Amino acid sequence: MGFLSVLSTAHQWIRERVSPGEAVIDATAGNGVDTRFLAELVGPRGTVYAFDIQEAALQATRNRLAPLEGEGRLPALQLVLDSHERMAAHVLPKHAGGVAAVMFNLGYLPGADPSVITKPDSSIAALSEALALLKPGGILTCVLYPGHPGGDDEAEAVMQWCAALPAAVGQAVVYRMVQKPAAPYLIAIERSRKRQ
């Protein structure tokens, strides 16, 4: 049967922790796959924020979500043309500290200019903001792509950030094919159930 892909594993871990009606964030909208997954999970009573720095990504996400809107199953939706490192500025105060899940899929937008990539500094800043926005017991997932130019540096920076995370703030795990160092891998953090 084989192991689940990193994306499927991220979805599984989030599915186990998110309920209809909650607020969730796709920190890197891309082609809208994770945004749609989150939208279906929280349903029409929930809220989904999706961030990207490329308008083409937000348009692809709108297109992917269109069927949900037609069926009356679309949650409250905020598609934000801005860097994920500024997500806290766009999240409503009522959701701050109460977000159930944040998903990151780092790297570049498939089919677009591969030189437009996520960068270590902004990604680390975004991860810090995302962790602060999570509710106790909430989950953050981050898929890393060390196989493209710049991806290895970013993945290493994220790993170092996770390793330095105090256990009282959150528990971090890694899901990775150890025989394939250039393959994508997943980091997930569960926010401590006790607020610090």
Side-chain angles (χ1 to χ4, degrees):
M1 180 168 126
F3 292 112
L4 291 176
S5 71
V6 291
L7 295 174
S8 295
T9 300
H11 285 191
Q12 178 178 317
W13 290 350
I14 287 173
R15 193 178 294 110
E16 292 169 354
R17 292 166 176 82
V18 174
S19 300
E22 291 193 290
V24 292
I25 298 172
D26 185 351
T28 49
N31 284 314
V33 173
D34 290 338
T35 311
R36 172 133 182 192
F37 163 74
L38 291 169
E40 290 177 342
L41 206 53
V42 300
R45 293 183 297 112
T47 302
V48 176
Y49 297 89
F51 295 85
D52 212 288
I53 60 168
Q54 297 180 83
E55 180 58 48
L58 295 182
Q59 187 55 53
T61 299
R62 275 187 206 95
N63 295 343
R64 193 172 294 275
L65 293 170
L68 294 182
E69 185 174 23
E71 297 164 4
R73 298 190 301 132
L74 191 66
L77 180 65
Q78 297 290 327
L79 296 180
V80 182
L81 184 64
D82 200 355
S83 173
H84 52 201
E85 69 183 307
R86 287 187 287 278
M87 72 175 73
H90 298 280
V91 171
L92 294 174
K94 69 179 181 178
H95 294 138
V99 172
V102 183
M103 297 188 78
F104 287 81
N105 204 337
L106 300 180
Y108 58 89
L109 177 63
D113 182 354
S115 70
V116 179
I117 60 172
T118 54
K119 303 281 175 80
D121 289 347
S122 59
S123 292
I124 296 298
L127 288 164
S128 296
E129 290 218 351
L131 195 56
L133 290 168
L134 283 177
K135 70 178 185 178
I139 186 171
L140 180 160
T141 63
C142 183
V143 177
L144 300 161
Y145 296 86
H148 70 85
D152 197 37
D153 291 339
E154 182 174 49
E156 182 58 33
V158 171
M159 285 290 284
Q160 288 178 11
W161 178 82
C162 287
L165 191 67
V169 174
Q171 296 294 320
V173 297
V174 179
Y175 181 75
R176 185 172 196 177
M177 297 177 67
V178 294
Q179 299 102 327
K180 297 182 178 180
Y185 63 99
L186 170 65
I187 290 178
I189 300 169
E190 184 177 57
R191 181 81 165 122
S192 171
R193 295 187 182 274
K194 292 182 181 176
R195 275 271 173 210
Q196 297 300 309

